[in-house]
Structure formats: C-alpha cells, structure tokens
Amino acid sequence: MKIHLVGRYDGGLIHGGAEVQLETTKRLLVQSGHDVKVLSPEVKDLPDMFHFFGSNDYYWSLAQLCIEKHIPYVVSAIWYVPGNPTELKIKRTKATIEQRYPRKTRKLLQNANRILIPSQDIAQRLKTYFDVNPESCWVVPSGTCTSDFGFNQEE
C-alpha cells in the first residue's frame, strides 16, 4: 500500500513527539512492505492513504482533497486539553464565543476513517470537545522501541 505521512510544517525544525512518532511509524510500515513517503513539496503522486500526525487546522485543506478524491485518511490525534467533561464543555463554549474554536480540526477528525489515540479516555475527550464518534477511534497504546535508545534487547 502507498501511504503518505503528514507532519507539522515545521516538524523538521522542532522535532518533538509527533515527529518521533511519524519517523517510527514510517520505519515500521516500510519494514512491513508498504511504500511510505513523508509529504513534502517534492511528492507529486497521490497515495492509497494519508496519515496525519496531530490535530491541526491547517490539515483540513488536504483532508478535503482526500474526501474529494475518495482517499482514506487516518489521524493520530495528538491532542489533549485538561479538565473533566464539564470543564471541556465550558472551554469549548468559551472558545466558540471568542471565535477561537478549531472548527477545521473538528472537521478533520469527524471525517477521518480512523482516529488513532493512546487511550479510551481520549475518545471521550474528543467526543466532548469535537463531537467525534468514539467508534471511529482506535486505541494504539504508546510504547517505546528500546532499540531506538541503544538498549540491548537481551538485557
């Protein structure tokens, strides 16, 4: 399968957790036999699937292209706002009133074929804040590839 991975536009400079997750995912997908590219201006072909790393408003324009071309996409929802469900609803309402609510992120998540999340708690948070259907969420537990840190696997 041909898969394009989509990271933050400044990811190469910042290189945080989302970028590490993208690199690890790429390595594992390539090892599994997939044709994987990180989307950049040099990439000119359309894939069988896109994978977005993060929940960013600026991904929505590409997600719209996916919908138009019938290309499935998944989102690793690297998103967290603290608070219980009532506090999340208040934060959402306040952001909406102040015209800061990320409507494009909501559309991105609501239209995704799958949303990859680290725990079931995040599914409920996404439902509360973005009206995401929890059934579209798949829990992918966070983990560490110890070989990335130079540990001996036999220890």
Side-chain angles (χ1 to χ4, degrees):
M1 177 179 269
K2 188 189 302 187
I3 303 168
H4 288 352
L5 308 179
V6 184
R8 291 174 21 165
Y9 60 87
D10 59 352
L13 301 173
I14 303 298
H15 204 264
E19 291 71 38
V20 172
Q21 185 180 6
L22 183 147
E23 292 166 356
T24 303
T25 300
K26 179 181 179 185
R27 186 179 74 239
L28 295 172
L29 287 171
V30 168
Q31 288 174 358
S32 297
H34 297 283
D35 178 13
V36 182
K37 296 178 184 174
V38 176
L39 190 63
S40 72
E42 290 85 28
V43 175
K44 306 290 185 198
D45 58 330
L46 289 174
D48 300 313
M49 183 178 85
F50 281 94
H51 185 156
F52 295 92
F53 289 83
S55 306
N56 301 306
D57 268 0
Y58 54 84
Y59 288 162
W60 176 238
S61 60
L62 181 55
Q64 285 179 295
L65 177 68
C66 292
I67 293 166
E68 177 186 312
K69 300 283 187 183
H70 304 287
I71 299 171
Y73 71 89
V74 299
V75 178
S76 287
I78 304 166
W79 176 87
Y80 184 82
V81 171
N84 63 43
T86 301
E87 292 169 334
L88 283 176
K89 288 176 186 174
I90 291 168
K91 288 177 182 182
R92 174 184 166 162
T93 302
K94 184 177 179 185
T96 301
I97 291 169
E98 295 174 353
Q99 298 183 348
R100 294 182 298 106
Y101 181 74
R103 288 179 176 82
K104 292 178 182 177
T105 297
R106 178 181 175 185
K107 291 178 191 178
L108 172 77
L109 294 169
Q110 287 179 339
N111 287 281
N113 295 81
R114 289 282 179 256
I115 302 170
L116 307 180
I117 56 174
S119 70
Q120 197 57 44
D121 173 65
I122 299 298
Q124 292 307 311
R125 293 178 163 285
L126 291 172
K127 178 183 178 190
T128 301
Y129 201 80
F130 292 111
D131 295 321
V132 168
N133 179 358
E135 292 180 16
S136 67
C137 297
W138 281 16
V139 175
V140 179
S142 297
T144 302
C145 294
T146 55
S147 62
D148 291 347
F149 296 97
F151 293 121
N152 183 339
Q153 296 294 328
E154 296 175 6
E155 291 179 353

